[in-house]
Amino acid sequence: MEVLFWVGCAASYDPRLKSIARAFADIMKKAKVEFAILGKKERCTGDLARRLGDEALFQELASHNIRVLKEHQVRSIVTTCPHCFNMFKNEYPALGGDFEVMHYTSFIYNLIKQGRLTVPPRQKHEVITYHDPCYLGRQNGIYEEPRDILQILGYTVEEMERTKERSFCCGAGGGMMFETVKRGEKINAMRAEEAMQTGASMTTTACPFCLLMMEEAIGSLRQTTGSTMVPKDIAELVNEWVEGGE
């Protein structure tokens, strides 16, 4: 196989986020990428366990994953989750897990440049804003490929006030995905307000956790602001527009 698609917990179990995994799989099929998944042999990378301080659980999960990947002689991994991407790139090597890993935005950008995916001309140039996931942007320096993809698709990208190196968290990192904020303003609501201030009709991101947080906040703010902004993942947008190449 050309690459292993690491599906991840979020895109495996959450009903909304399954569409991201399906969209990316469809994209790879259009580009005639030979890919495989581990199925039930895949376990959580242990990102949340380590962030929350359960080092023993992280070591158990990581050791299992590394052993299974080596048994299947996996060399190249692509993932839709920046948290999984960060674990493979920066934390698994210390445990003997040395793999080539790419986030799906870099992978798709390369497929387009190689001519394996084509984008038909579009007349409408919709204004869109992009939210930088923390573990893709600040942690790993991937800022341009997601924006380049959106521009190739024909969107006009309107930046938020805080972006790239100064981007603002969605509020889910470090285990906060499962914590209820009991006082003060919710971080995802603050970020959603920044997105709405751009005047864009859609906000997009490249992280399943970020997408859930933005959807929840935008849905709540619709009742008070009347906003019609729609949140989507870049994989969903790419799958809507691209066609198979040569």
Side-chain angles (χ1 to χ4, degrees), residues 125-139:
H125 294 277
E126 188 176 356
V127 178
I128 193 170
T129 190
Y130 171 69
H131 164 75
D132 288 283
C134 294
Y135 276 80
L136 189 63
R138 287 198 303 272
Q139 292 290 339

Side-chain angles (χ1 to χ4, degrees), residues 96-112:
D98 291 300
F99 308 100
E100 177 188 333
V101 59
M102 294 184 73
H103 185 256
Y104 83 89
T105 50
S106 301
F107 191 75
I108 289 174
Y109 180 75
N110 288 341
L111 292 176
I112 294 172

Side-chain angles (χ1 to χ4, degrees), residues 84-105:
C84 296
F85 169 72
N86 182 70
M87 297 302 287
F88 283 121
K89 181 183 176 185
N90 298 318
E91 304 195 27
Y92 272 35
L95 300 176
D98 291 300
F99 308 100
E100 177 188 333
V101 59
M102 294 184 73
H103 185 256
Y104 83 89
T105 50

